[in-house]
Amino acid sequence: METKNNELQTVAEAIGPIEFTGLRLTAPPQYAAGVPAVKIALEHAMREMGLAKSIATLSKLNQKEGIDCPGCAWPDPDHRSNLGEFCENGVKAIAEEATNKRVTPTFFEKYSVKEMSQWSDFKIGKSGRVTHPMILREGDTHYTPIAWEEAFEIIGQHLQLLDNPNQAIFYTSGRSSNEAAFLYGLFARKLGTNNMPDCSNMCHESSGAGLFQTLGIGKGSVTLEDFQYADVVMVMGQNPGTNHPRMLNALEKCRQKGGKVVSVNPLKEAALVRFKNPQEVKGVVGNGAAISDFYLQIKINQDVALLKYIMKRLIEIEQEEGNVIDWDFIRENTNGTENLFKDLSQYTKAELIEKTGLKVGEVEPIVTLLAQKKKVIICWAMGLTQHKNGVDNIRECVNLLLLKGSIGVQGGGTCPVRGHSNVQGDRTVGITHHVSPKLNAAFERTFHFKPPTLEGLDVVHCIKAMYEGKAKVFMALGGNFLSAASDTNYTAKALQNCDLTVSVSTKLNRTHLVTGKTALILPTLGRTEKDASDGKSRFVTVENSMGRVHRSVGRIAPASEHLMSEPEIVSRIAKSYFKEDFSIPWNRLGTDYDFTRSKISEVFDGFKDYTERSKKSGFDLPNHTRRGDFSKLPGGVAKFSINQLPDHDLKEGEFLMMTIRSHDQYNTTIYGLDDRYRGIFNERRVVLINPKDIEDLRLKANEIVDLKSDYNGVERKAENFIIVPYEIPQGNLASYFPEANVLIPNDQFATISNTPISKSVRVSIVKK
Ligand SMILES: Nc1nc2c(c(=O)[nH]1)N[C@H]1C(S)=C(S)[C@@H](COP(=O)(O)OP(=O)(O)OC[C@H]3O[C@@H](n4cnc5c(=O)[nH]c(N)nc54)[C@H](O)[C@@H]3O)O[C@H]1N2
Ligand SMILES: Nc1nc2c(c(=O)[nH]1)N[C@H]1C(S)=C(S)[C@@H](COP(=O)(O)OP(=O)(O)OC[C@H]3O[C@@H](n4cnc5c(=O)[nH]c(N)nc54)[C@H](O)[C@@H]3O)O[C@H]1N2
Ligand SMILES: [Mo]
């Protein structure tokens, strides 16, 4: 079949404008943070919030009595800086939420849905906070206000009308509190479905799967303190300067104590090279500190090849000199070494190194370091998880750590660096599409009903179900599902197939503009805002990337008097559906968070005295791997695994493309148009490419091209990208998410974890 006829049709509303905003390029800066970061952060804060609100929010950000930063999930140190325990992008996140701008009923009266859909994501987001519950009734062109009670009734009625509960989908983004997520999961289960896709399906699902299989828990093993004791920290597939800036403090401290930092990344990310800590005087006046001792600019998705090379070399050195591999640890705590050794012997060093695109001379110093040192931490994020072999990537990291006996020891272990500030907590308290008999039993014991036993749908499979008309009601607790998911046109059609789409949101986004027949926006409180019931103030709790649960207390007046808290919204929907069934006290659960927490602690282990212990610095959830205890696994030992080298099946002229975040965005929320640390300003429709590839393709810098992907004969096109010469390995490209999401087919995802292949998309460049 001609691929031309097989092109996935464009849904203009889903794509937004494809015009340019005026690219400017500079050389990437020599360091990250420092004074410019402080200045830019404060400019954002003042522009969005004004002085009084800036002081009210920022002075309480990440303090023990304060607001948990909605920016990322990096943990807070025990000693909090007086200069402020936050970073540039944390300030931007706060400013974005606590903005003074408002999206009111008058705003919706003025702009039709169609008109707003033609705005850029930047403009949509900058419109401000949604102030009233709004409805888009079937056939209407504009959203109109609706009373809360009527909104809940409409949702209840739609759910009643379904043939079966599996026609409903309950998506969660990672900003929700433990309390809201728990009630949401309880509601879905009581309704009778496990269709609980969540943003981790697109994010760290591969980490959870890989770690669970090999170590028995889907979470990381290290604490913040471990960074001070580590001999080596490897940062693989992660850009902390933009996405987890406070992690740079930990890396700096590690180096001050004599540890070495190794970065593995196709791009030379400025913050991984040099960092000026704005929380310290020397960061303001000095040259800053080097962060990486070694930098491996690896080709996209060749991390398994690199790890295999390193392990092969470690085994060789062990054979020659000994004292490299921790045999005692391996004997006592693992199985599968023989198979691993056999697997490694199949490959030659030359073929492995060639795949990475690195030189032996670049990798050998790291081999030597790892041979000599014992305590190793591996940190990673999306650069490892969002590939077809995302789970293999994680398991191969575990293999290296197990060889070194570096799990369950002070200064060593696994560190998947989570994204959304409470994505880990949401999962802990029951947001999962998987069925666990143990969890079902705990829900049954606590709430006296039988939770469903059929596996639910994750993100990619619920999109397919909606596309095929098998799911009819879509609800989202936060997030921007349309723009976050891959295959934008396909996902748009999937949402449009629904009878009802519901978004519990703080701000306007594209998912509100490409909807089911009827659509609701339910405006909710953000982290920064005071949450009270009957005049009594309440607080919510969250879990950070390292498994510590603590409270978050809102500090400023809500954006509108009509906002409702997330737990309350969820419980009111449940009430409207279950009507006369009073077996679960929804009212009390939605209003009395202490009571909700007492129920969480009945269902889940580790939450004893939850409310009290969440105050001050919070408490750590049980993590047996952290203690070197693998008894949760069959046989009671950790597992070495066998992982294949990826096959990208690139055809002539095809590149491997990663979709990455710019410095001025939070996922689909666009704070600004600059990517300062990469020297790219005022433009997002760019494609980063090696100058030699530009030459080979007879392209020119600044030329405008289209990007095309072709999977299984279906052509997907992203129009209008500017060629930007960049120091990136040959054969690789980079462009921004979500603009490039149209190119990623919904059926291309990681084995086991089903995470879309956002970091290794096969594309070609089409000249205009
Ligand atoms: N300011 C800000 N903070 C955020 C977010 C945000 O958008 N903005 N998002 C939050 C969320 S939800 C998440 S999940 C995290 C995301 O945090 P990151 O994972 O750091 O974010 P990405 O931009 O996706 O960056 C991936 C990095 O991996 C590299 N990479 C890509 N492919 C490969 C590969 O094959 N191998 C290796 N070794 N490296 C590779 C890229 O060059 C890039 O540096 O950040 C969280 N924090
Ligand atoms: N191509 C490509 N696609 C990707 C990625 C990639 O690297 N490349 N990354 C993936 C990753 S890692 C993730 S985590 C997903 C992110 O997927 P999502 O979590 O769905 O997306 P966000 O952009 O974080 O959601 C932003 C919206 O959340 C709402 N919001 C903000 N704060 C709150 C709150 O406190 N409560 C409520 N109810 N709503 C709130 C606002 O309305 C805002 O518009 O995207 C994924 N998609
Ligand atoms: Mo994420």
Side-chain angles (χ1 to χ4, degrees):
M1 193 191 292
E2 265 266 38
T3 47
K4 262 266 162 291
N5 304 331
N6 219 359
E7 222 172 88
L8 200 75
Q9 217 186 323
T10 301
V11 180
E13 298 87 341
I15 305 294
I18 49 170
E19 286 127 32
F20 299 110
T21 40
L23 173 67
R24 275 186 298 112
L25 295 174
T26 66
Q30 298 299 307
Y31 65 88
V35 176
V38 177
K39 185 168 162 276
I40 287 168
L42 294 180
E43 278 167 13
H44 266 269
M46 292 299 290
R47 192 165 53 234
E48 296 288 334
M49 307 188 277
L51 182 64
K53 251 200 230 172
S54 296
I55 294 172
T57 49
L58 300 182
S59 64
K60 292 293 176 198
L61 194 52
N62 292 330
Q63 299 298 335
K64 289 178 186 170
E65 315 275 294
I67 308 163
D68 178 63
C69 180
C72 73
W74 189 255
D76 307 312
D78 280 336
H79 172 75
R80 316 274 157 106
S81 166
N82 293 332
L83 279 174
E85 190 52 57
F86 50 81
C87 67
E88 174 190 337
N89 278 345
V91 175
K92 289 185 198 158
I94 291 288
E96 198 71 21
E97 178 178 301
T99 178
N100 290 328
K101 300 196 196 97
R102 297 289 176 267
V103 174
T104 61
T106 322
F107 179 98
F108 283 112
E109 206 180 308
K110 192 162 166 202
Y111 304 110
S112 70
V113 171
K114 183 133 196 119
E115 182 171 358
M116 290 187 282
S117 74
Q118 281 148 18
W119 298 348
S120 66
D121 290 330
F122 177 55
K123 180 165 173 183
I124 292 172
K126 288 290 177 211
S127 306
R129 289 287 298 277
V130 182
T131 57
H132 290 65
M134 302 297 298
I135 185 165
L136 182 67
R137 294 184 195 269
E138 193 167 347
D140 275 5
T141 52
H142 290 66
Y143 273 96
T144 48
I146 183 172
W148 277 108
E149 204 46 52
E150 194 194 340
F152 297 138
E153 263 166 38
I154 289 177
I155 301 171
Q157 282 161 7
H158 270 89
L159 291 172
Q160 303 279 4
L161 282 175
L162 297 177
D163 299 334
N164 75 69
N166 292 317
Q167 290 182 331
I169 285 164
F170 297 96
Y171 172 70
T172 312
S173 162
R175 285 248 178 125
S176 295
S177 59
N178 282 358
E179 292 74 7
F182 174 72
L183 294 182
Y184 196 53
L186 175 63
F187 173 55
R189 288 181 176 89
K190 172 84 177 160
L191 186 78
T193 184
N194 285 309
N195 286 348
M196 283 176 266
D198 92 297
C199 73
S200 11
N201 300 154
M202 302 181 263
C203 184
H204 266 294
E205 193 78 35
S206 306
S207 308
L211 291 172
F212 186 77
Q213 287 179 349
T214 53
L215 300 174
I217 182 172
K219 300 182 184 184
S221 73
V222 302
T223 64
L224 195 50
E225 220 192 337
D226 283 315
F227 282 76
Q228 299 193 32
Y229 298 95
D231 294 327
V232 184
V233 177
M234 296 182 72
V235 182
M236 301 186 67
Q238 196 203 340
N239 180 20
T242 287
N243 300 313
H244 310 91
R246 290 183 307 130
M247 177 177 162
L248 297 174
N249 300 356
L251 295 177
E252 190 186 16
K253 283 220 177 79
C254 165
R255 291 191 76 248
Q256 282 164 356
K257 300 232 163 172
K260 302 281 181 205
V261 175
V262 180
S263 288
V264 182
N265 197 308
L267 302 180
K268 202 113 186 206
E269 305 285 22
L272 285 172
V273 178
R274 232 181 154 72
F275 168 59
K276 287 192 183 185
N277 189 346
Q279 289 173 356
E280 290 174 11
V281 176
K282 69 177 174 8
V284 177
V285 294
N287 290 326
I291 288 291
S292 299
D293 296 272
F294 302 98
Y295 209 113
L296 298 180
Q297 245 183 301
I298 194 168
K299 277 191 194 278
I300 290 178
N301 202 18
Q302 292 302 344
D303 302 83
V304 169
L306 173 70
L307 290 162
K308 283 194 193 299
Y309 177 89
I310 290 175
M311 287 190 285
K312 253 180 111 70
R313 285 287 296 122
L314 291 179
I315 293 168
E316 279 179 6
I317 304 175
E318 169 72 24
Q319 281 157 357
E320 287 156 17
E321 300 168 21
N323 220 11
V324 170
I325 286 170
D326 191 338
W327 292 113
D328 290 342
F329 176 88
I330 289 174
R331 255 190 308 274
E332 248 172 70
N333 295 295
T334 70
N335 75 27
T337 13
E338 305 76 26
N339 290 342
L340 177 77
F341 281 38
K342 211 158 91 198
D343 171 61
L344 293 173
S345 68
Q346 288 181 58
Y347 305 97
T348 66
K349 282 182 284 175
E351 72 178 308
L352 293 172
I353 208 79
E354 198 206 318
K355 289 208 177 280
T356 64
L358 300 163
K359 296 194 183 68
V360 171
E362 290 174 282
V363 184
E364 276 304 311
I366 290 133
V367 170
T368 310
L369 183 70
L370 288 168
Q372 289 165 352
K373 304 290 184 182
K374 293 227 169 300
K375 293 176 285 179
V376 183
I377 294 177
I378 304 185
C379 304
W380 70 85
M382 297 305 98
L384 292 198
T385 61
Q386 295 176 329
H387 300 281
K388 184 132 218 139
N389 59 327
V391 177
D392 285 17
N393 278 337
I394 309 316
R395 294 193 307 205
E396 205 72 341
C397 291
V398 171
N399 280 342
L400 172 59
L401 291 171
L402 289 176
L403 278 186
K404 293 298 299 175
S406 217
I407 289 186
V409 296
Q410 190 174 50
T414 55
C415 183
V417 184
R418 303 283 162 176
H420 264 303
S421 53
N422 196 39
V423 60
Q424 191 160 310
D426 293 347
R427 292 301 289 259
T428 300
V429 299
I431 298 300
T432 171
H433 58 284
H434 292 304
V435 178
S436 144
K438 184 177 167 227
L439 184 57
N440 276 5
F443 270 109
E444 185 173 354
R445 219 173 30 243
T446 312
F447 294 104
H448 315 293
F449 72 96
K450 278 209 181 307
T453 49
L454 184 74
E455 281 275 303
L457 302 175
D458 57 12
V459 165
V460 292
H461 290 100
C462 83
I463 295 172
K464 185 161 185 272
M466 290 189 280
Y467 188 87
E468 292 173 351
K470 293 179 186 153
K472 290 286 169 200
V473 173
F474 172 85
M475 178 168 168
L477 188 62
N480 180 6
F481 189 80
L482 170 63
S483 306
S486 39
D487 222 345
T488 316
N489 290 309
Y490 183 87
T491 303
K493 288 199 193 111
L495 289 168
Q496 287 173 333
N497 270 350
C498 289
D499 291 332
L500 175 72
T501 47
V502 181
S503 293
V504 179
S505 304
T506 49
K507 299 193 78 176
L508 191 65
N509 66 48
R510 204 167 282 285
T511 303
H512 307 143
L513 307 177
V514 179
T515 67
K517 292 188 188 74
T518 303
L520 284 161
I521 307 176
L522 306 180
T524 192
L525 295 171
R527 279 289 162 74
T528 51
E529 291 163 322
K530 287 183 185 150
D531 183 353
S533 171
D534 284 337
K536 254 180 67 192
S537 73
R538 306 178 280 193
F539 66 85
V540 293
T541 55
V542 294
E543 175 184 340
N544 70 28
S545 194
M546 293 175 185
R548 176 163 291 192
V549 178
H550 61 91
R551 71 174 166 176
S552 175
V553 193
R555 291 289 164 178
I556 57 173
S560 141
E561 57 181 340
H562 306 287
L563 304 187
M564 199 179 275
S565 79
E566 287 185 343
E568 220 157 319
I569 292 174
V570 174
S571 65
R572 296 276 295 269
I573 293 172
K575 236 190 125 345
S576 134
Y577 177 83
F578 290 110
K579 296 205 182 321
E580 302 303 310
D581 172 354
F582 299 110
S583 58
I584 294 180
W586 294 110
N587 264 351
R588 182 156 181 216
L589 284 166
T591 46
D592 178 354
Y593 300 169
D594 288 355
F595 178 63
T596 312
R597 284 186 282 269
S598 75
K599 292 293 166 193
I600 296 177
S601 58
E602 281 181 49
V603 176
F604 297 94
D605 295 337
F607 285 93
K608 199 164 166 286
D609 300 328
Y610 189 174
T611 293
E612 268 320 298
R613 287 199 300 152
S614 68
K615 296 173 181 170
K616 303 207 177 88
S617 293
F619 61 96
D620 292 321
L621 287 172
N623 185 320
H624 52 91
T625 305
R626 181 169 291 164
R627 303 191 312 269
D629 166 7
F630 306 107
S631 58
K632 292 249 152 69
L633 283 169
V637 289
K639 255 202 342 237
F640 281 104
S641 58
I642 303 304
N643 306 296
Q644 312 301 322
L645 292 177
D647 178 6
H648 300 114
D649 194 22
L650 291 178
K651 294 183 201 70
E652 177 84 27
E654 283 186 330
F655 287 77
L656 215 52
M657 181 181 79
M658 53 183 179
T659 56
I660 55 176
R661 291 157 170 78
S662 86
H663 191 62
D664 260 1
Q665 77 183 80
Y666 191 92
N667 298 341
T668 69
T669 300
I670 311 300
Y671 300 143
L673 299 176
D674 298 341
D675 194 2
R676 194 168 86 248
Y677 293 161
R678 300 195 183 107
I680 299 167
F681 293 86
N682 202 40
E683 186 59 75
R684 294 185 51 84
R685 299 196 76 83
V686 291
V687 54
L688 279 48
I689 171 170
N690 184 292
K692 289 204 195 74
D693 286 332
I694 296 186
E695 215 179 290
D696 291 351
L697 291 178
R698 294 174 207 281
L699 291 164
K700 288 191 288 294
N702 287 320
E703 188 171 335
I704 295 165
V705 296
D706 293 339
L707 301 173
K708 189 183 82 176
S709 73
D710 180 348
Y711 283 84
N712 303 325
V714 182
E715 198 173 276
R716 289 168 173 81
K717 208 184 218 178
E719 284 178 87
N720 281 4
F721 284 78
I722 304 176
I723 292 280
V724 170
Y726 204 84
E727 200 193 322
I728 181 172
Q730 272 196 274
N732 289 172
L733 302 175
S735 57
Y736 296 130
F737 135 62
E739 285 80 354
N741 286 29
V742 279
L743 295 164
I744 310 169
N746 188 57
D747 62 2
Q748 297 298 313
F749 45 75
T751 313
I752 302 170
S753 67
N754 298 353
T755 299
I757 54 155
S758 308
K759 294 290 188 277
S760 47
V761 198
R762 229 168 44 208
V763 300
S764 47
I765 295 177
V766 186
K767 279 188 164 235
K768 293 281 228 188

